[in-house]
Amino acid sequence: ATLDRTPAFDRECSTCAFFSVFAVYMSSRASTCVVRTFLSARGGGAAAASSSVVRRLSASTTRVRAIGAADDAVTMTTDVVGVDGATVAYDFGAHKLTNVVSPTPSDIDVASAAEALPIKLVAEKMCGLGEDDYELYGKYKAKVSEKLSTTLAGRKSTTDVGYYVVTAGITPTPLGEGKSTTTIGLVQALQAHTNQRAVACIRQPSMGPTFGIKGGAAGGGYSQVIPMEEMNLHLTGDIHAIGVANNLLAAAVDARCFHEATQSDDALWKRLMPAKKDGTREFSAIMFKRLKKLGITKTNPDDLTEEERSKFVRLDIDEDRITWRRVVDMNDRFLREITVGEAATEKGRTRKTGFDITVASEIMAVLAMTTSLADMEDRLGKMVVGPSKSGEPVTCDDLGCTGALMALMRDAIKPTLMQTLEATPVLVHAGPFANIASGNSSIIADQIGLSMVGKGGFVVTEAGFGADIGLEKFVNSGGK
């Protein structure tokens, strides 16, 4: 299939700062199909031209599909391994778009006209999941278990996983280069048009860019994730959970500084180690991490000396060097630098701090890199909020907040299953932003996707951003 390029299309390409080269080799049982889309442009041009090129690319991609549609005289089916281990044939091409129009309508018009399948059907018929593998969030979204990469592999006769494909760009632009659109279009081509098992793995959109100049992150044209408005607005609340967890830790830092500055060692001890009805005290599980860090091996609180009690209850955080900031998932420039502690109840203990966007929180980075609940607990506990006055790093475990953060993040660790316009499965998870980007959406989502598609299938994950914090980080961290 060859891309229908016109002189006008070439002229639009030439005004773009950058467009990529994509070469995709897809094979089916009966024949080999090679699709090559070559779009190369250089020189300085208006950023607005980027969206025009993407729209034209969507329309041209439609023409590529139309060429292939004539060859579908024989229905192709692909085997899906069900929850009981049985193999069932399924026609992935049954949901190809047929009502394509040109020129391509706006993204919102395309998404509004789409008829999504119940996500239960996508999960069970296309992904081979059972009812215990996912939790419905309405009719078109479902949370999938973080353990699926292990449990799915156990149901199959082979532990081989699919091909791992990464979509990357070079120069980020204010309006985006079209990586999400390319990712979604590619998995649609693989599954709906060549009947290969395919899954896309993309980030959950932040509402900062969604309400800013860039817009949403569900793709574009006829290469979109649907329901588009549900994906771009809140989805299943993962980013909200990250924001609350982040701000809980920030509140704990300030509260600890306040209490240590206004109370004696004995008062702090009684607050941290309240006596039971019988007068005894007992360390909680997380406190043993603090004791180990201090080199204290005693397990009975009453055995600690006064000096050991003082070391235990006082983190002695250097307030001028606290690195942990609060977050909000919105573009609010006036929160970049603020002063906290202005209320009279804080007794004049003010300090300068600020807000970051939620998707740049270290907790988001932890979610993207974690592989299990146990791994996430370990990573959250090691997060550093700032140094002590003696220069020692103070962690979330030192503050005793790790368990509370885990409770807030218990559902966020589960990727959200959605679908494209052509009913191809999409795993939406995490969304590490800017300098904390790890080169993909999340390790867990990619692992689950690879287990879903099985041997010979394709997982297309989006590196995001530019090649330096996208593809390069994928190769050095996420991809490993």
Side-chain angles (χ1 to χ4, degrees):
T2 56
L3 183 67
D4 181 10
R5 293 178 58 176
T6 64
F9 184 63
D10 286 338
R11 285 196 298 274
E12 288 183 5
C13 283
S14 68
T15 65
C16 255
F18 166 76
F19 217 86
S20 188
V21 179
F22 309 106
V24 182
Y25 298 86
M26 302 174 290
S27 61
S28 65
R29 294 177 186 173
S31 62
T32 300
C33 172
V34 180
V35 179
R36 296 183 180 180
T37 303
F38 180 78
L39 297 172
S40 180
R42 297 176 182 174
S50 174
S51 59
S52 176
V53 172
V54 170
R55 286 196 298 273
R56 292 297 301 275
L57 178 60
S58 300
S60 299
T61 304
T62 301
R63 288 191 283 273
V64 171
R65 294 175 189 158
I67 294 171
D71 300 327
D72 291 338
V74 179
T75 301
M76 295 185 296
T77 60
T78 298
D79 292 340
V80 177
V81 180
V83 65
D84 57 356
T87 300
V88 181
Y90 190 81
D91 177 20
F92 290 124
H95 306 290
K96 286 187 290 190
L97 291 173
T98 57
N99 56 342
V100 173
V101 298
S102 183
T104 307
S106 67
D107 294 350
I108 188 67
D109 288 339
V110 172
S112 299
E115 295 182 6
L117 294 179
I119 201 65
K120 179 181 176 70
L121 180 63
V122 175
E124 296 182 3
K125 298 297 184 183
M126 297 187 182
C127 302
L129 305 186
E131 290 185 354
D132 294 336
D133 295 327
Y134 64 91
E135 306 166 29
L136 292 174
Y137 273 64
K139 191 175 180 180
Y140 303 111
K141 304 187 297 293
K143 281 281 195 180
V144 297
S145 169
E146 76 281 1
K147 301 175 183 177
L148 272 182
S149 60
T150 302
T151 57
L152 278 178
R155 297 174 195 161
K156 301 177 181 179
S157 58
T158 175
T159 56
D160 291 338
V161 295
Y163 294 107
Y164 202 14
V165 182
V166 58
T167 306
I170 293 180
T171 308
T173 59
L175 298 176
E177 310 95 297
K179 292 184 297 298
S180 298
T181 304
T182 300
T183 299
I184 301 307
L186 178 54
V187 293
Q188 288 186 151
L190 285 165
Q191 179 157 304
H193 296 263
T194 66
N195 229 56
Q196 303 289 337
R197 297 289 307 277
V199 171
C201 294
I202 61 176
R203 291 170 171 80
Q204 178 177 342
S206 164
M207 285 192 290
T210 296
F211 287 101
I213 188 173
K214 181 179 179 294
Y222 288 107
S223 299
Q224 290 191 60
V225 179
I226 54 174
M228 180 260 279
E229 66 279 6
E230 292 186 27
M231 177 178 173
N232 284 324
L233 302 175
H234 300 294
L235 197 59
T236 49
D238 294 353
I239 293 179
H240 168 74
I242 291 168
V244 173
N246 184 102
N247 293 341
L248 182 150
L249 185 56
V253 170
D254 284 319
R256 188 60 174 263
C257 291
F258 174 81
H259 288 303
E260 287 189 21
T262 57
Q263 295 184 42
S264 64
D265 289 352
D266 186 58
L268 289 171
W269 175 258
K270 290 178 180 178
R271 281 178 175 270
L272 289 171
M273 302 295 302
K276 298 180 181 179
K277 290 182 178 181
D278 60 3
T280 61
R281 290 181 168 85
E282 184 178 351
F283 289 122
S284 63
I286 197 170
M287 289 179 175
F288 286 106
K289 294 183 179 181
R290 171 76 178 156
L291 292 168
K292 183 178 180 180
K293 183 177 180 178
L294 295 172
I296 300 172
T297 58
K298 299 170 183 176
T299 58
N300 186 348
D302 295 329
D303 292 340
L304 268 63
T305 65
E306 286 189 13
E307 182 182 358
E308 289 172 334
R309 286 187 182 184
S310 180
K311 289 170 64 178
F312 175 76
V313 301
R314 292 196 178 276
L315 302 180
D316 203 25
I317 299 172
D318 187 341
E319 296 180 49
D320 293 329
R321 299 168 64 193
I322 293 172
T323 55
W324 198 264
R325 291 157 58 93
R326 288 164 173 81
V327 296
V328 61
D329 192 41
M330 191 59 60
N331 296 337
D332 192 343
R333 62 185 304 126
F334 284 89
L335 289 178
R336 291 173 181 172
E337 187 172 315
I338 63 171
T339 303
V340 296
E342 293 284 1
T345 52
E346 312 317 313
K347 302 179 181 180
R349 302 198 60 80
T350 61
R351 71 176 184 90
K352 291 281 188 180
T353 183
F355 276 75
D356 295 321
I357 196 163
T358 303
V359 286
S361 166
E362 187 173 347
I363 296 177
M364 176 64 86
V366 166
L367 179 62
M369 296 302 295
T370 194
T371 56
S372 64
L373 279 170
D375 181 49
M376 184 166 72
E377 182 177 10
D378 182 61
R379 291 175 182 272
L380 290 175
K382 291 178 179 177
M383 295 187 306
V384 176
V385 300
S388 67
K389 291 176 182 176
S390 62
E392 293 294 320
V394 179
T395 67
C396 182
D397 275 346
D398 290 328
L399 285 156
C401 291
T402 308
L405 268 57
M406 283 294 294
L408 290 168
M409 295 290 291
R410 70 188 187 280
D411 289 328
I413 194 173
K414 304 172 184 177
T416 300
L417 179 65
M418 298 187 73
Q419 62 188 292
T420 70
L421 287 166
E422 295 188 314
T424 307
V426 179
L427 291 173
V428 186
H429 199 213
F433 193 77
N435 59 301
I436 71 156
S438 52
N440 62 345
S441 55
S442 78
I443 301 297
I444 282 182
D446 286 0
Q447 288 178 337
I448 291 174
L450 288 166
S451 297
M452 278 183 178
V453 299
K455 185 178 181 180
F458 294 85
V459 169
V460 183
T461 191
E462 182 185 342
F465 307 100
D468 48 359
I469 58 173
L471 180 61
E472 187 174 341
K473 283 197 175 180
F474 173 86
V475 173
N476 291 330
S477 58
K480 292 182 179 179

